[in-house]
Amino acid sequence: MSTTWDGLLLNASLATLDGDGYGAIEDGALGWKDGVLTFVGPRAALPGDAEARTDAVIDAGGGWITPGLIDCHTHLVFAGDRAHEFERRLEGASYEDIARAGGGIVSTVRAVRAADEDTLLAESLPRARALLRDGATTLEIKSGYGLDFDNERKMLRVARRVGEALGIDVRTTYLGAHALPPEFSGRADDYIDAVVDWLPRLRAEGLVDAVDAFCERIGFTPEQTRRVFEAARALDLPVKLHADQLSDLGGAALTAGFGGLSADHVEYTDDAAVRAMAAAGTVAVLLPGAFHCLRETQRPPIEAFRAHGVAMAVATDCNPGTAPLLSLPLAMSLACTHFRLTPEEALRGATVHAARALGLHDRGRLRAGLRADFVHWAIRRPAELCYWLGGDLARSVFVAGYPVGRQD
């Protein structure tokens, strides 16, 4: 060890997720320099002069360290709320009933269009802070509530500002093909023309990391989705898709055909599409919060994903209508309860596989050479992250070696 480390954390167990199981290391140690992990292993394997060559030694006082959680599917930039729709669903209205009556996504579009950029940021930051407090060190944030050039741009700009304000990494996804805005009523193909036209300009401003669409009966057809994906491919942008949530329109297979990063929701995905996802390396992003809030009964094909080796990520889907969920550990718990994931699968889903779903290869595990994103949890065993339904489990959160958010 020729240089001084920026930090060394001792006296905790490590769930490295490197290798089989949790990759557990009892009485472990983490060292980092310049935002990158430089030592991950048993404390007994540290060089004899490690503490003397470290700028800051942190005694964790027990508990567990995991990689920083990665929320790979959110819509957290929005204005207003849709609590009234929650009430309507409890009274018997379906998601599609509400959408077709002018509610749903379009109602949030009206609120977003009415908010200026600073107002939108002020409304969105508390949600991002809540996710951060619960261990999320990387967030994906989609547009899709603007549905015109200026307001989609506004949403993407706010998403970037969220990351800057909190000192975390935010990946932005262009979701112009989320719903049909009122001014394009009856002209879905014309609207897709506009969505495709806006994309190069938004990318030129550095606002787009990936491209998404909502391929569904109340969204856009596979043919319209294909046009959006072709525009993304022409700009060398990766794609992902809201796929097969309410019906099987072949969305997951379409995404796999484009080498997509992920197919998300996937409740109605069939076995042929699962095989296509496996061949393409497309991640299945499970969103149990929406499943829970909509009281759905069609589960994603978890057994088929396992059988064919499709990686399963877990995300909050934080949004105002169908998943007002502000905790990734709670999403992990719901994935265990509703989808029968094991706690280990759920934790990998919110770390290792979530990183893959965003095309990120520098995080998601505790391994020397990866980003020093990690969380110190007040737990006795990793399964507690899925066992507890809420609570202050995260003692401290580190992003690139620096503590962020509340530190007790």
Side-chain angles (χ1 to χ4, degrees):
M1 186 173 58
S2 60
T3 60
T4 300
W5 295 345
D6 294 333
L8 177 65
L9 186 144
L10 307 171
N11 194 16
S13 298
L14 310 181
T16 67
L17 302 178
D18 207 13
D20 296 331
Y22 290 110
I25 298 175
E26 303 290 342
D27 191 19
L30 284 184
W32 61 93
K33 174 71 175 177
D34 296 331
V36 175
L37 293 170
T38 53
F39 181 89
V40 179
R43 182 175 182 173
L46 280 169
D49 61 350
E51 294 190 37
R53 293 196 179 190
T54 303
D55 289 345
V57 178
I58 300 170
D59 185 334
W64 280 79
I65 307 295
T66 71
L69 304 185
I70 298 167
D71 200 344
C72 64
H73 182 129
T74 86
H75 304 255
L76 74 78
V77 170
F78 61 85
D81 65 69
R82 292 185 358 226
H84 59 291
E85 294 181 11
F86 172 70
E87 290 185 304
R88 284 199 60 199
R89 287 198 301 273
L90 292 175
E91 293 164 357
S94 72
Y95 179 63
E96 292 190 47
D97 291 337
I98 292 169
R100 294 190 187 281
I105 294 167
V106 175
S107 67
T108 298
V109 171
R110 290 192 292 268
V112 166
R113 289 181 174 184
D116 63 26
E117 189 172 307
D118 289 340
T119 299
L120 195 55
L121 177 65
E123 289 208 35
S124 302
L125 273 174
R127 293 186 283 269
R129 288 193 179 101
L131 292 168
L132 174 59
R133 282 196 301 271
D134 256 9
T137 56
T138 301
L139 301 178
E140 185 258 17
I141 301 179
K142 303 178 189 296
S143 67
Y145 294 134
L147 306 188
D148 63 26
F149 177 77
D150 289 339
N151 286 291
E152 288 290 293
R153 179 177 181 268
K154 177 174 67 179
M155 289 189 68
L156 293 166
R157 283 174 53 85
V158 169
R160 289 285 194 233
R161 290 178 65 185
V162 166
E164 293 165 2
L166 299 184
I168 61 175
D169 192 6
V170 168
R171 309 298 289 179
T172 55
T173 298
Y174 173 54
L175 182 56
H178 195 196
L180 191 63
E183 62 269 26
F184 279 88
S185 179
R187 298 188 296 125
D189 286 330
D190 290 342
Y191 179 64
I192 293 298
D193 287 341
V195 168
V196 168
D197 181 63
W198 301 333
L199 178 55
R201 290 184 280 167
L202 294 169
R203 186 184 189 279
E205 292 188 37
L207 295 175
V208 181
D209 296 319
V211 175
D212 195 351
F214 184 33
C215 184
E216 193 53 75
R217 293 182 308 236
I218 58 173
F220 297 94
T221 67
E223 293 75 17
Q224 291 161 344
T225 301
R226 179 180 293 277
R227 290 177 56 201
V228 175
F229 281 7
E230 287 171 347
R233 183 163 60 186
L235 294 170
D236 199 27
L237 286 168
V239 298
K240 52 184 59 193
L241 187 66
H242 285 65
D244 309 337
Q245 178 185 10
L246 306 173
S247 62
D248 184 5
L249 294 186
L254 174 64
T255 308
F258 277 82
L261 291 174
S262 68
D264 303 25
H265 287 290
V266 294
E267 279 88 338
Y268 286 84
T269 296
D270 65 18
D271 195 64
V274 172
R275 291 195 297 270
M277 292 172 66
T282 298
V283 176
V285 176
L286 308 179
L287 302 171
F291 181 94
H292 176 82
C293 290
L294 293 173
R295 295 182 293 172
E296 294 288 354
T297 57
Q298 176 75 29
R299 295 170 58 240
I302 302 299
E303 293 78 11
F305 289 145
R306 288 173 177 148
H308 292 288
V310 174
M312 293 181 286
V314 177
T316 64
D317 192 18
C318 172
N319 75 72
T322 61
L325 178 54
L326 296 175
S327 168
L328 193 44
L330 182 52
M332 293 158 54
S333 178
L334 292 173
C336 292
T337 301
H338 288 308
F339 300 157
R340 305 296 191 267
L341 263 62
T342 67
E344 180 204 327
E345 285 177 320
L347 180 55
R348 284 186 178 274
T351 52
V352 179
H353 301 320
R356 281 187 56 188
L358 296 180
L360 300 173
H361 306 289
D362 63 346
R363 68 200 73 184
R365 292 180 170 88
L366 299 179
R367 179 196 292 171
L370 299 186
R371 276 172 58 105
D373 292 356
F374 58 90
V375 185
H376 177 211
W377 304 94
I379 56 175
R380 296 180 180 88
R381 55 188 59 83
E384 287 189 60
L385 295 177
C386 299
Y387 166 74
W388 293 107
L389 297 174
D392 287 333
L393 299 182
R395 288 180 176 173
S396 54
V397 180
F398 286 75
V399 174
Y402 289 94
V404 295
R406 185 194 65 215
Q407 308 297 316
D408 294 330

